[in-house]
Amino acid sequence: MSTNGKTGKVLVIGGGISGITAAIEASEAGCEVVLVEKRPYLGGRVAQMHQYFPKLCPPSCGLEINLRRIRTSARIRCLTLSRVEKISGSSGCYRATIGTFPRRVNARCTACGACVAACPVQRPDDFNCSMGSTKAIYLPFETAYPLQFVIDESACLGTACGKCLPACPYQAIDLEMKPETMEIDVQAVIWATGWDSPDAATIEGLGFGTCRNVITNLMMERLAAANGPTGGKIQRPSDGRAIQSVAFVQCAGSRDENYLKHCSAVCCMASLKQARYVRQQCPDAQIYIFYIDIRSPGRLEDFYAESQKDEKLHLLKGKVAKVAEASSGGDLVVEAEDVLSGRRVAQKVDLVVLATGIVPAHAEARVEVDGGLRRDEHGFLTSDQPAAGLLAVGCAKRPADVAACVRDATGGALKALQCCVERASG
Amino acid sequence: MDNKDKKIAVWICQGCDIGKSLDVAALEKVATEECGAARCSSHPFLCSPQGGDLIRKDIDAGANTLVVAGCSPRFNVHAFAVDGCWTERVNLRELVVWSHPPNDEDTQMLAEDYLRMGIARAKKAQVPEPLQVEIDKTILVVGGGPSGMTAALEAARAGYDVVLVEKEAQLGGWLRKFSRLFPKKPPYRELEATDLESRINEIEQNPRIRVCRGATIEKIAGQPGQFDVSLATNGTTQKFRVGAIVQATGWKPYDAFRLTHLGYGRSPDVITNVQMEELLASGAVRRPSDGKPAQRIAFIQCAGSRDEAHLPYCSAVCCRVTLKQALWARELDDQAQAYVFYKDIRAAGQYEDFYRRAQEDSQIFFTKGDVVSVEPSGGRSLVVEVRDTLLGKRIEVAADLVVLATGMVPVAADGEAIRRLRDAKAVLEKGEAGAQLQAAAETVEKLQHHGGTDVLRLEYRQGPDLPVLKHQFPDSHFICFPYETRRTGIYAAGCVRAPNDSEACREDAAGAALKAIQCVHLASEGKAVHPRWGDQSYPDFQLQRCTQCKRCTEECPFGTLNEDVKGTPQPNPTRCRRCGICMGSCPERIISFADYSVDIVSSMIKAVHIPDEFEEKPRLLGLVCENDVYPALDLAGLARIAHSALIRFISVRCLGAVNVVWIADALARGFDGILLVGCKSGDDYQCHFIRGSELMGTRSDNIREKLKQLALEEERVRIEELALSEYRRLPQIIDEFAAQIQEIGLNPFKG
């Protein structure tokens, strides 16, 4: 897609929904694309979601279509377990150095799983927010792309152990695989580095890390997911009991001068969505949502309006001051002021979900970029970067829901295409 | 290529347990002796470079059709794709050896049947010849506000010609009226000037953009790549051709006259947020009634929004607009006070910084509550009555000026409603008696208000505008594919799609511009867009056998088919998404694709070996949607979950693309049961072709009739819905169905 027939090349950093979208859209408009993802799989945070709001539809549906587009594309090259180390050059003419970590499993892997029984090592399961463990050799999840096992280098005992090797019928394990580096020349770089959960343990008084039944939105998502640590059953971490009551604490450490000043835009909808999960599994559970403002903008208001018809869903405006264990049984007490009634509330619940929000994943902070990158005071990349052809999309730029990220990434792909066109005609 | 010229080479991969679990030699015999393949070989690891070399040797030696029996077609796509050569993938891995016991008679029969079916298809499927049509790559942008201007500029910068159409005499849309905006850049504290003039200059100086001001669309005929536009400007009509369209027709304010309980229309000092912009821009906020400075300004949020009686949705920007207006009013007069009455302050993301800025001003007061009424009181004031406030009671606040933060209504037309209105009027005009007349009259009454609202004026049988979602927004139903409207090549952007701020609208417009570019780019290669990206097949209509039943025209979700006076469909292939729903609907079976047709699937059904009634081995046919259900089968196989070996699956483009003759064929052939599984239907439908499962549901009434006529049990045909994430349910569904069929007994037509 360029004026003299040469195709341009774009680097997309980050293989979550924004990166996948930017890569596919740019490639279908004619660009060559290299998609770099630090994890062993594509999908980023949406792969961890049980359902999207407001349709309550599974992420796997859209991901399957997108992965089909990637699998059948001749123009997209995906590098997982890879990081961009350096970007040099200037407007429209960049050279990127990409490092790939060894998966220690090669392309012969058919994901049969015979290696798992042989491996003697357990490691915390990061896909499930450490609510469980896997062996050192593991498949991130059943719809992972690429559908290939991976070895956690930090846990694996290496050739000193080697028990997985004879277990594999396809000679797919290579414990001596080495890291690789490559350099590519591109006309544009799209930063789709997404978000992380802030560390909830730093928020004073809300019990994360000290009370066993205080979890985050992301952990709740994993509990509800069929491929999660409990097979989709929402239950208390302390004793595995089904829950009869739950409190969602909105703005936990957000909109707060002492922690995160920004609002994460999606947590109100995330908690309302998760309230539906609870309602579906526990028809009689009492659900409490402690909020400052409920942010369900635009047509998302329909979802909020529908949620408000649930008689066992109680909305309380008031910032939660404290979450503590009520007794040794794991029950919790949530203390807040209900500003609309003026009363102090001490609500006993089985489970507390902290809406801790999102912070930009600082992957890009580790990349050396000629000329640097501009960020706002919250760490998000800004829309205007010093050099043309450096574009931020999705949550790397501002907290947003999936549909907004996909639109943003599509626009970003166009701007990348423009760089390729300018370069070709220059 | 003529089918008789096909030379079929079959390759069976022995890897991934296939060789260990099946009698491969017996499979090879089926391929060559039974099915007449030119040659059949096997290899231990077919996706290896050596395997690839051997396949290429066969092609060099004259094979022009390839059948690869091994892993799922979803994997190793490039390893087995040969340009110009039909490659049929037979799934012996996920669907056979991973989900059935090894070295077992039933498993072997299953594998042999899949091979037969694959070869049957390979014998008839053709590599599609792409449609060669002259494609214009100009992008038409309808609407010259911030969204339209952005779409135009971004498309032009990517090297595309643009025609930008604006109905007013000047570009700019609402941005002409808003001289200052809330901040879109860090630190998100200070108001910004608009950059309208510089944008307009950029547009006027861009040689690729042709601007038509004071213009309205008379009609748009044709299809993507060949949209023929007639534009009226100052009494003259100009005609030109474009390739794709971005609708950025924006919004109008909600009619505040409906908010009499808030005082609008009863006092001149109750104004809307749009009217407030004008006051602020004048340099002094003066009361409309007496011209005196307004010093107690009440802002009422969600005025006629988030309200079932008015606009049920939220307009997303009004909170930030009010924050802007309050700060601006305070800047103009530091004696002024602002009282903001809100339900929730929606300043999300980094806009929290802007909210914080407003809260730092001690003369801006925020009160959460429902405003019950605004009444003129004696003298100058208005009284705002508020309930459920933070103080826990009802309060009354006096104000000089009340600003209603009213919402946005999209400037769009409900294309399908207009079409139903026109059809109903046509019925009335014809004057035929009967129930039809009554129904038509009711429809006209119900839909009257849609008359004359059309915007794009498309010459589409299915209606002149984009179909709309709830609340009349022409948006996509999909979260992951937010630009996929139901009309190929026509994309909505900006506030017409969903209310938003100018920065979000610009981002949205850039995305829409890319989709428009992709569409013309793909159309020039004869390729489909979402979701069958890259598909070069297109529906062929044997019109000489058409009986004008109009089912295809009605059921096509994308308006691909126009109609002549007799009712014969007129296909517009670049509008087509290649779903095959037309093919599924046609009772005469005159529609087909080069690689997917009634005959092809019937041949696959007939290729299955049906044991006679004495062998007590029922046979089930499974027709499954390729988007969610076929991948779910793969996942169940990956998880090594077994399912009944009685069933043979055929992947279809959509449950709507299933022609009911296949069910008749299957029953006639001796199948004992047919299971159809597709995506979720209903309000929150998942079908990417909009209505596949729903159509199969309505067609199933015909099926039930047919079964009754044949004195067969209704239970022999079952329809289920499944999402990919529910793949673990699928083996259960299959096994339950198998058990049920075994209970009912064998098909009496067998043997």
Side-chain angles (χ1 to χ4, degrees):
Chain A
M1 180 98 3
S2 57
T3 51
N4 65 0
K6 280 214 304 254
T7 47
K9 200 163 186 172
V10 177
L11 169 64
V12 178
I13 308 180
I17 191 69
S18 298
I20 288 173
T21 299
I24 295 172
E25 301 294 350
S27 76
E28 283 174 10
C31 301
E32 298 279 327
V33 179
V34 175
L35 175 59
V36 174
E37 164 56 45
K38 71 184 179 201
R39 294 188 180 91
Y41 55 88
L42 295 187
R45 294 296 177 194
V46 302
Q48 291 177 292
M49 302 281 134
H50 170 48
Q51 289 174 337
Y52 289 151
F53 58 75
K55 284 173 69 185
L56 298 178
C57 52
S60 50
C61 174
L63 279 175
E64 173 63 26
I65 292 185
N66 280 331
L67 292 175
R68 189 207 303 173
R69 289 159 91 186
I70 291 180
R71 274 193 215 108
T72 52
S73 171
R75 288 198 273 253
I76 304 177
R77 184 169 173 196
C78 271
L79 299 168
T80 50
L81 278 175
S82 301
R83 281 181 192 272
V84 175
E85 289 162 9
K86 185 177 155 76
I87 296 185
S88 56
S90 59
S91 304
C93 198
Y94 298 103
R95 173 158 291 183
T97 309
I98 301 168
T100 298
F101 297 104
R103 185 179 281 258
R104 295 192 179 177
V105 172
N106 62 35
R108 299 169 71 105
C109 174
T110 65
C112 73
C115 49
V116 176
C119 175
V121 179
Q122 297 271 0
R123 35 86 70 186
D125 183 358
D126 51 347
F127 185 75
N128 282 313
C129 304
S130 299
M131 293 187 289
S133 61
T134 72
K135 296 295 184 73
I137 189 166
Y138 67 101
L139 183 69
F141 52 98
E142 76 279 23
T143 47
Y145 177 89
L147 191 64
Q148 232 180 323
F149 271 67
V150 56
I151 289 181
D152 181 343
E153 279 197 301
S154 64
C156 174
L157 304 173
T159 46
C161 162
K163 294 203 168 75
C164 50
L165 292 164
C168 175
Y170 304 105
Q171 296 107 58
I173 302 175
D174 176 3
L175 294 176
E176 298 182 330
M177 202 185 270
K178 298 274 173 284
E180 284 174 11
T181 308
M182 62 188 281
E183 276 187 352
I184 55 169
D185 290 326
V186 297
Q187 282 76 60
V189 181
I190 298 180
W191 301 83
T193 42
W195 59 272
D196 282 329
S197 275
D199 181 3
T202 61
I203 312 169
E204 257 184 68
L206 293 185
F208 188 84
T210 51
C211 305
R212 287 157 295 163
N213 294 317
V214 176
I215 61 174
T216 62
N217 276 144
L218 190 57
M219 292 164 76
M220 174 59 122
E221 208 57 42
R222 295 313 306 145
L223 288 178
N227 62 7
T230 59
K233 184 163 164 247
I234 296 172
Q235 60 190 47
R236 294 181 354 147
S238 65
D239 53 13
R241 240 180 52 200
I243 59 172
Q244 294 304 313
S245 57
V246 58
F248 288 88
V249 177
Q250 297 314 105
C251 308
S254 288
R255 301 178 65 182
D256 190 330
E257 300 273 356
N258 301 313
Y259 300 103
L260 300 178
K261 286 162 88 173
H262 66 274
C263 152
S264 292
V266 296
C267 331
C268 285
M269 284 302 301
S271 291
L272 286 170
K273 171 188 69 163
Q274 292 177 345
R276 300 283 184 97
Y277 296 167
V278 171
R279 179 60 65 230
Q280 218 220 353
Q281 283 193 27
C282 326
D284 295 315
Q286 299 290 341
I287 303 173
Y288 304 91
I289 303 186
F290 293 88
Y291 72 94
I292 306 175
D293 294 282
I294 294 288
R295 291 178 168 175
S296 54
R299 296 206 305 279
L300 295 174
E301 181 66 25
D302 287 337
F303 192 82
Y304 180 37
E306 192 60 34
S307 299
Q308 289 174 290
K309 294 179 188 166
D310 181 338
E311 285 173 357
K312 300 199 191 83
L313 188 125
H314 314 281
L315 293 148
L316 295 104
K317 183 175 166 86
K319 204 148 187 214
V320 168
K322 189 163 174 216
V323 175
E325 277 188 356
S327 58
S328 56
D331 291 350
L332 300 156
V333 176
V334 177
E335 288 176 26
E337 184 180 340
D338 176 357
V339 289
L340 294 180
S341 65
R343 290 177 312 139
R344 297 195 72 87
V345 169
Q347 183 63 52
K348 189 144 166 280
V349 289
D350 290 339
L351 180 71
V352 168
V353 183
L354 303 180
T356 46
I358 77 181
V359 289
H362 282 285
E364 81 278 2
R366 287 179 251 183
V367 184
E368 258 181 72
V369 180
D370 272 4
L373 291 172
R374 260 184 221 139
R375 292 179 187 80
D376 66 18
E377 76 166 292
H378 313 290
F380 293 97
L381 292 170
T382 59
S383 301
D384 58 334
Q385 291 297 326
L390 296 183
L391 309 148
V393 298
C395 289
K397 195 167 73 176
R398 75 170 69 92
D401 58 58
V402 173
C405 286
V406 172
R407 291 194 297 271
D408 196 23
T410 309
L414 179 58
K415 299 198 167 86
L417 173 66
Q418 290 164 353
C419 294
C420 298
V421 169
E422 276 165 22
R423 183 88 189 107
S425 54
Chain B
M1 182 192 310
D2 228 284
N3 287 345
K4 60 175 162 43
D5 293 332
K6 284 187 173 242
K7 268 223 191 70
I8 302 175
V10 181
W11 279 94
I12 301 177
C13 181
Q14 304 220 31
C16 297
D17 302 325
I18 293 173
K20 284 191 269 185
S21 315
L22 298 172
D23 180 350
V24 175
L27 285 174
E28 289 183 13
K29 268 178 106 172
V30 166
T32 49
E33 291 175 24
E34 236 193 79
C35 304
R39 46 180 282 104
C40 181
S41 333
S42 66
H43 188 276
F45 202 179
L46 199 60
C47 56
S48 64
Q50 299 79 26
D53 286 340
L54 290 170
I55 291 175
R56 259 182 296 282
K57 272 216 190 94
D58 266 355
I59 307 283
D60 292 340
N64 52 29
T65 301
L66 199 57
V67 175
V68 173
C71 55
S72 164
R74 288 166 63 245
F75 296 100
N76 288 315
V77 176
H78 297 295
F80 303 124
V82 180
D83 258 338
C85 176
W86 179 265
T87 302
E88 183 69 29
R89 299 285 299 272
V90 173
N91 190 340
L92 294 182
R93 189 179 73 174
E94 285 86 339
L95 256 49
V96 181
V97 303
W98 279 1
S99 45
H100 298 90
N103 302 308
D104 173 281
E105 180 187 38
D106 288 319
T107 308
Q108 182 69 22
M109 291 175 93
L110 181 63
E112 290 177 4
D113 273 340
Y114 275 130
L115 193 56
R116 291 184 183 103
M117 287 158 71
I119 295 173
R121 188 153 104 106
K123 284 179 175 168
K124 295 192 166 172
Q126 299 286 344
V127 174
E129 290 261 342
L131 199 63
Q132 305 278 13
V133 288
E134 193 69 41
I135 297 290
D136 190 300
K137 293 190 177 162
T138 308
I139 312 294
L140 172 68
V141 179
V142 183
S147 304
M149 291 195 295
T150 301
L153 278 169
E154 299 289 3
R157 282 187 197 132
Y160 286 78
D161 289 333
V162 179
V163 178
L164 175 58
V165 168
E166 166 55 50
K167 68 178 188 238
E168 302 292 336
Q170 291 170 327
L171 293 175
W174 285 101
L175 234 43
R176 297 210 80 83
K177 296 220 159 93
F178 306 155
S179 55
R180 291 173 91 196
L181 306 175
F182 55 79
K184 310 294 186 305
K185 290 192 286 290
Y188 299 97
R189 294 176 59 85
E190 302 306 322
L191 305 192
E192 294 175 350
T194 73
D195 58 353
L196 184 59
E197 290 313 314
S198 65
R199 286 213 145 222
I200 293 178
N201 282 339
E202 239 193 291
I203 286 179
E204 286 174 347
Q205 281 166 21
N206 191 312
R208 289 195 179 276
I209 306 177
R210 178 158 76 93
V211 183
C212 302
R213 293 175 182 76
T216 44
I217 297 174
E218 285 182 340
K219 66 175 182 186
I220 300 180
Q223 56 178 349
Q226 300 181 331
F227 283 122
D228 290 316
V229 184
S230 297
L231 199 67
T233 340
N234 302 323
T236 55
T237 300
Q238 32 172 329
K239 293 184 200 258
F240 52 90
R241 179 170 271 200
V242 299
I245 303 170
V246 175
Q247 180 178 351
T249 45
W251 60 280
K252 51 182 197 263
Y254 182 67
D255 179 8
F257 282 105
R258 296 188 188 205
L259 304 171
T260 46
H261 65 294
L262 296 178
Y264 197 84
R266 292 189 290 125
S267 161
D269 297 327
V270 177
I271 61 174
T272 64
N273 44 11
V274 176
Q275 290 167 312
M276 181 59 161
E277 289 290 319
E278 292 165 36
L279 287 188
L280 290 161
S282 74
V285 181
R286 295 182 186 287
R287 289 159 45 93
S289 60
D290 56 13
K292 297 221 166 71
Q295 295 202 315
R296 289 175 63 89
I297 309 169
F299 291 88
I300 300 178
Q301 298 313 106
C302 307
S305 290
R306 300 178 63 182
D307 187 338
E308 284 296 331
H310 300 278
L311 298 178
Y313 56 90
C314 154
S315 286
V317 295
C318 333
C319 284
R320 289 173 285 167
V321 168
T322 288
L323 295 176
K324 170 188 79 170
Q325 293 182 341
L327 285 165
W328 192 351
R330 293 267 311 123
E331 231 179 77
L332 294 177
D333 176 0
D334 80 307
Q335 297 302 304
Q337 294 175 316
Y339 294 84
V340 179
F341 298 100
Y342 69 93
K343 293 187 190 172
D344 295 281
I345 295 288
R346 292 179 169 177
Q350 289 102 323
Y351 292 108
E352 184 66 29
D353 291 340
F354 187 53
Y355 181 29
R356 196 173 295 115
R357 163 75 186 91
Q359 288 173 298
E360 286 164 9
D361 188 324
S362 62
Q363 298 305 300
I364 302 180
F365 305 95
F366 291 94
T367 301
K368 179 177 164 83
D370 287 326
V371 172
V372 177
S373 66
V374 174
E375 293 294 327
S377 82
R380 296 170 29 131
S381 278
L382 297 152
V383 172
V384 180
E385 191 185 346
V386 189
R387 170 190 68 199
D388 286 347
T389 70
L390 294 169
L391 301 171
K393 39 192 204 271
R394 281 172 106 99
I395 59 166
E396 289 184 349
V397 177
D400 297 339
L401 180 70
V402 172
V403 181
L404 303 181
T406 47
M408 298 168 151
V409 173
V411 176
D414 183 340
E416 290 183 308
I418 296 177
R419 178 259 168 124
R420 286 200 302 277
L421 176 62
R422 288 180 182 169
D423 284 354
K425 282 189 173 165
V427 168
L428 291 180
E429 259 164 52
K430 264 217 216 133
E432 286 162 13
Q436 268 211 357
L437 209 61
Q438 167 76 346
E442 282 168 16
T443 302
V444 169
E445 204 184 303
K446 205 172 97 180
L447 301 178
Q448 193 69 269
H449 59 287
H450 287 287
T453 60
D454 38 347
V455 173
L456 295 181
R457 307 208 163 104
L458 301 165
E459 302 226 310
Y460 278 39
R461 174 67 186 92
Q462 295 283 1
D465 275 282
L466 293 174
V468 294
L469 298 184
K470 218 172 162 194
H471 310 312
Q472 304 294 295
F473 289 93
D475 200 352
S476 161
H477 179 70
F478 300 103
I479 293 166
C480 306
F481 307 104
Y483 291 108
E484 295 309 333
T485 61
R486 284 176 43 198
R487 297 290 178 260
T488 305
I490 307 177
Y491 305 96
C495 291
V496 74
R497 193 190 56 71
N500 227 323
D501 61 77
S502 53
E503 179 75 359
C505 286
R506 286 187 183 164
E507 286 171 0
D508 195 16
L514 180 70
K515 299 308 286 184
I517 287 170
Q518 271 176 356
C519 182
V520 297
H521 180 56
L522 289 167
S524 71
E525 296 180 352
K527 293 178 176 169
V529 296
H530 171 90
R532 303 199 101 243
W533 275 283
D535 185 355
Q536 287 180 316
S537 73
Y538 57 91
D540 177 66
F541 289 71
Q542 295 293 308
L543 288 172
Q544 62 275 31
R545 290 193 286 121
C546 174
T547 59
Q548 288 82 27
C549 74
K550 303 193 203 177
R551 257 170 247 188
C552 57
T553 315
E554 295 286 326
E555 292 183 359
C556 173
F558 305 108
T560 298
L561 306 169
N562 280 7
E563 219 172 73
D564 71 9
V565 285
K566 285 193 290 181
T568 313
Q570 295 169 315
N572 295 274
T574 59
R575 294 186 200 169
C576 177
R577 302 273 177 96
R578 324 312 202 245
C579 61
I581 283 179
C582 53
M583 186 183 101
S585 72
C586 181
E588 300 301 316
R589 303 184 290 280
I590 69 172
I591 306 171
S592 63
F593 296 79
D595 57 354
Y596 182 68
S597 69
V598 173
D599 184 40
I600 286 174
V601 174
S602 291
S603 304
M604 293 171 81
I605 292 171
K606 290 171 188 162
V608 171
H609 169 74
I610 305 283
D612 66 36
E613 65 266 34
F614 304 107
E615 289 187 55
E616 307 262 323
K617 283 188 195 285
R619 281 295 175 258
L620 308 175
L621 176 66
L623 298 173
V624 295
C625 139
E626 67 184 9
N627 285 312
D628 266 19
V629 187
Y630 192 88
L633 276 174
D634 272 358
L635 282 178
L638 180 70
R640 306 298 194 279
I641 307 173
H643 65 255
S644 166
L646 302 181
I647 195 162
R648 279 94 180 95
F649 286 106
I650 297 179
S651 171
V652 295
R653 292 188 179 188
C654 178
L655 272 204
V658 170
N659 194 294
V660 299
V661 77
W662 295 338
I663 300 184
D665 281 351
L667 291 168
R669 178 90 180 115
F671 275 90
D672 304 283
I674 296 120
L675 177 66
L676 299 113
V677 194
C679 306
K680 187 171 161 198
S681 60
D683 278 346
D684 277 331
Y685 64 86
Q686 279 300 88
C687 179
H688 290 280
F689 299 121
I690 317 304
R691 52 167 79 123
S693 292
E694 184 196 308
L695 281 172
M696 181 40 70
T698 41
R699 289 176 198 162
S700 66
D701 292 336
N702 288 346
I703 296 170
R704 264 188 282 277
E705 267 311 302
K706 191 97 199 194
L707 287 169
K708 261 206 221 140
Q709 283 169 18
L710 298 170
L712 286 172
E713 299 84 344
E714 263 184 36
E715 291 83 355
R716 292 194 185 271
V717 176
R718 185 195 283 197
I719 303 173
E720 293 274 350
E721 290 178 2
L722 193 88
L724 175 55
S725 52
E726 299 176 293
Y727 69 90
R728 282 174 189 273
R729 267 186 57 216
L730 193 47
Q732 285 166 21
I733 292 174
I734 296 165
D735 288 349
E736 259 172 41
F737 184 57
Q740 195 182 32
I741 295 297
Q742 285 178 298
E743 235 199 81
I744 297 175
L746 296 177
N747 178 349
F749 295 105
K750 199 194 288 279

